[in-house]
Amino acid sequence: MDAKDILGLPKNSLPIPQDKKSRPQKDSQRKPDGISREVYALTGGVAPLMPSIDVNQLKKRHQPDNEKITWEWLSFTNSARKDNLQLYHWVRVVNGTPPTGDYSFAKYNKTVDVIKYTDEEYEKHLKDPAWTKEETDQLFDLCERFDLRFVVIADRFPSPRSVEELKNRYYSVSKKILIARAPSPADVSGHPLVKEQYNISHEVERKRALSLVLSQTKQQERKDSEVLSEAKKITESRMAAKAARDAELAATLNTTQEGVDKTTVPVDTASPSDMQVAAPLTSIADNAAAAAASLRTLRVYLRTYALDQMVQAASSSAGLRTIKRVEQFLQELKVNLKPKVPTKAVCAEHLELRKEILTLLNLQKLLQNKEEGSSYRESSYTDTPDTPKHLQRGMDQDRTFVPDSVSFGAISADRVGKRDQKRKGPGREAPSSPAQSNKRPRKLKATDS
């Protein structure tokens, strides 16, 4: 009795196993040197992220066979110290010979060359009512001793002087000595003490502002951050509104220009005065539109630069003499040629004032031309008394003014003579005096003819 009988299994022979599928043999990879077997098994044969370097392949430092290197605890001196203090440190000794020379870190000890002055130089150049010679001497001694560490100098200074006052006195005295000893001020203009002047008021204000910032509480800092974020939002909204206004202004200028082109008076019916007034206004609008378009392409520009561009655009149609008259007019009004505080509103008002002055000058010039023309016509009436004034007025309306007195008088006299002859008819006599000729002729009736 066996296990099959106990389990109730049939006593058949085992089935013949089928041929197992042959698995492809893995390529055996040799473990590289320098990597442990466990680490290589974890990577699964994948190349590591960082290349592994075999220590044996590194280039060994060549060491002569006759060199014997030891480390010894030896004393050393520092040339930067004046008290001959001896300290100890480990030193690399080769073949029992310790290194010689100064301490290796002594080269980093730098000192400031403080300028010295004589009694004669002090009496001649360095006198100051706020400082005595004893205080100035003590200040320069401490500056040389503590290498311009003015906080330490202010702590050691016998008089109650602030750090800023000590700095101001030291740098002002050094600058005066350099200028006095130089052959000319241009020779020491590049020296740092002369080129970079110490500003005591700016330094005091800077430290005061810094102390205010450092003394703020967290609540104040949070409030300041909220104010800054709100200011940033306001700036962004203003920039967006400005861009919209610029686009609207450009569209308005284009629409205005189209309206001016459409409503322009024809050349045959327009008078010269209307053309003279409309021409500067049209040119100013064109130049302003061109200047605004050029400024929008820059995106970022100074407001003073924008004002200069707009002033040039507004004055480009005028001559040099007119521009000078505009500037003289501004000076008479006690207005600066360039605003001292060029805000947006101030620049706009300044530009508008210039445009109004330019328009006023154009109108004055036009009025002067009309007055000269009327005075010339009045003088022509006295020269040609045979010409009726109402007839002359009609001639002026029909034709342009010709500044030629001789031809003007001759033509008018001939025309008036021929007209009188036609009215008189054959057999009528000419009037005996000019006063009779100026009388209005009687209308002819049908029975008279």
Side-chain angles (χ1 to χ4, degrees):
M1 193 172 179
D2 55 4
K4 290 183 178 181
D5 296 332
I6 296 172
L7 297 176
L9 297 177
K11 296 181 179 181
N12 296 333
S13 60
L14 294 175
I16 299 173
Q18 297 179 356
D19 296 337
K20 294 183 179 180
K21 295 182 179 179
S22 60
R23 295 180 180 178
Q25 294 182 357
K26 295 182 179 180
D27 296 336
S28 60
Q29 295 182 357
R30 183 177 177 274
K31 182 177 72 65
D33 298 334
I35 300 178
S36 62
R37 178 175 56 82
E38 292 80 3
V39 173
Y40 184 74
L42 290 174
T43 58
V46 181
L49 298 177
M50 297 181 64
S52 59
I53 302 174
D54 188 4
V55 181
N56 297 325
Q57 295 178 359
L58 297 177
K59 184 178 180 181
K60 294 183 179 180
R61 184 178 179 181
H62 178 69
Q63 181 178 356
D65 297 335
N66 56 355
E67 279 189 2
K68 184 179 179 182
I69 298 174
T70 57
W71 291 85
E72 298 182 7
W73 183 255
L74 301 177
S75 63
F76 68 95
T77 58
N78 189 354
S79 61
R81 301 185 65 92
K82 306 300 182 184
D83 53 357
N84 297 324
L85 178 66
Q86 287 189 356
L87 300 175
Y88 291 84
H89 65 165
W90 288 100
V91 180
R92 185 171 179 269
V93 179
V94 180
N95 295 330
T97 305
T100 58
D102 196 7
Y103 181 53
S104 59
F105 291 96
K107 60 184 179 180
Y108 298 109
N109 185 59
K110 301 296 181 181
T111 58
V112 180
D113 296 331
V114 179
I115 301 174
K116 297 292 185 177
Y117 56 87
T118 61
D119 296 339
E120 182 180 358
E121 288 177 340
Y122 185 87
E123 294 295 332
K124 190 175 181 181
H125 304 288
L126 307 178
K127 278 189 174 181
D128 191 347
W131 286 79
T132 62
K133 187 176 184 303
E134 290 75 13
E135 288 179 337
T136 307
D137 294 340
Q138 291 175 356
L139 172 63
F140 273 73
D141 292 340
L142 291 173
C143 288
E144 185 179 7
R145 180 181 174 185
F146 295 108
D147 291 332
L148 300 183
R149 297 181 180 91
F150 285 99
V151 177
V152 181
I153 294 170
D155 185 60
R156 302 308 198 271
F157 200 73
S159 302
R161 300 277 187 174
S162 63
V163 176
E164 291 79 16
E165 291 177 348
L166 297 176
K167 283 185 177 182
N168 187 39
R169 180 59 176 168
Y170 170 77
Y171 289 120
S172 62
V173 168
S174 301
K175 179 181 177 181
K176 291 178 181 178
I177 294 173
L178 288 173
I179 295 175
R181 292 177 181 177
S184 63
D187 296 339
V188 292
S189 60
H191 197 279
L193 293 176
V194 179
K195 186 177 180 181
E196 305 293 339
Q197 187 175 2
Y198 180 75
N199 191 350
I200 183 173
S201 60
H202 175 73
E203 187 71 10
V204 172
E205 183 63 23
R206 184 186 67 83
K207 288 187 177 181
R208 186 191 67 82
L210 183 61
S211 63
L212 288 176
V213 173
L214 295 177
S215 60
Q216 284 183 343
T217 61
K218 292 185 177 180
Q219 184 179 1
Q220 291 175 343
E221 292 179 357
R222 193 181 306 109
K223 186 176 180 180
D224 290 343
S225 63
E226 292 176 357
V227 170
L228 291 176
S229 61
E230 188 67 23
K232 185 178 180 181
K233 292 179 181 178
I234 293 172
T235 304
E236 292 176 353
S237 63
R238 286 182 177 179
M239 290 179 63
K242 181 181 178 182
R245 283 199 306 270
D246 292 341
E248 184 179 358
L249 177 61
T252 305
L253 289 174
N254 294 332
T255 307
T256 306
Q257 180 63 25
E258 293 176 358
V260 168
D261 295 339
K262 291 180 180 179
T263 60
T264 301
V265 183
V267 180
D268 297 337
T269 61
S271 62
S273 60
D274 295 336
M275 295 175 64
Q276 290 178 5
V277 174
L281 297 177
T282 306
S283 60
I284 290 173
D286 294 340
N287 297 331
S294 62
L295 290 175
R296 283 195 299 273
T297 57
L298 295 178
R299 293 182 179 274
V300 179
Y301 53 85
L302 294 175
R303 189 167 287 134
T304 52
Y305 173 76
L307 177 63
D308 293 339
Q309 295 295 319
M310 298 300 289
V311 169
Q312 291 179 6
S315 305
S316 60
S317 59
L320 182 61
R321 185 177 300 176
T322 307
I323 296 174
K324 290 183 178 179
R325 290 184 63 187
V326 171
E327 295 178 355
Q328 292 177 359
F329 206 98
L330 289 173
Q331 292 176 358
E332 291 176 359
L333 296 175
K334 297 182 180 180
V335 178
N336 296 324
L337 299 180
K338 288 185 178 181
K340 291 184 178 180
V341 184
T343 60
K344 184 177 181 180
V346 172
C347 291
E349 293 293 336
H350 185 82
L351 185 61
E352 187 65 25
L353 178 60
R354 279 181 173 270
K355 290 181 180 180
E356 290 178 357
I357 293 174
L358 187 60
T359 306
L360 176 61
L361 293 177
N362 289 331
L363 292 175
Q364 288 179 354
K365 185 177 180 181
L366 182 61
L367 179 60
Q368 183 180 0
N369 293 336
K370 281 185 172 293
E371 289 177 353
E372 290 177 356
S374 62
S375 61
Y376 187 84
R377 285 195 294 271
E378 289 177 0
S379 63
S380 64
Y381 295 152
T382 58
D383 294 340
T384 57
D386 295 337
T387 305
K389 290 188 176 180
H390 71 278
L391 185 61
Q392 182 69 24
R393 191 180 299 110
M395 293 171 63
D396 292 338
Q397 293 177 357
D398 294 337
R399 62 186 182 88
T400 57
F401 176 71
V402 180
D404 190 358
S405 60
V406 178
S407 61
F408 178 78
I411 294 171
S412 60
D414 294 341
R415 292 182 179 177
V416 172
K418 291 180 181 180
R419 198 171 298 170
D420 291 340
Q421 289 177 4
K422 290 181 179 179
R423 289 176 179 176
K424 291 175 185 178
R428 293 190 181 183
E429 295 181 357
S432 60
S433 63
Q436 296 176 359
S437 62
N438 290 334
K439 294 180 180 178
R440 183 173 294 179
R442 182 174 58 87
K443 291 185 179 181
L444 297 178
K445 297 180 180 180
T447 56
D448 294 339
S449 61

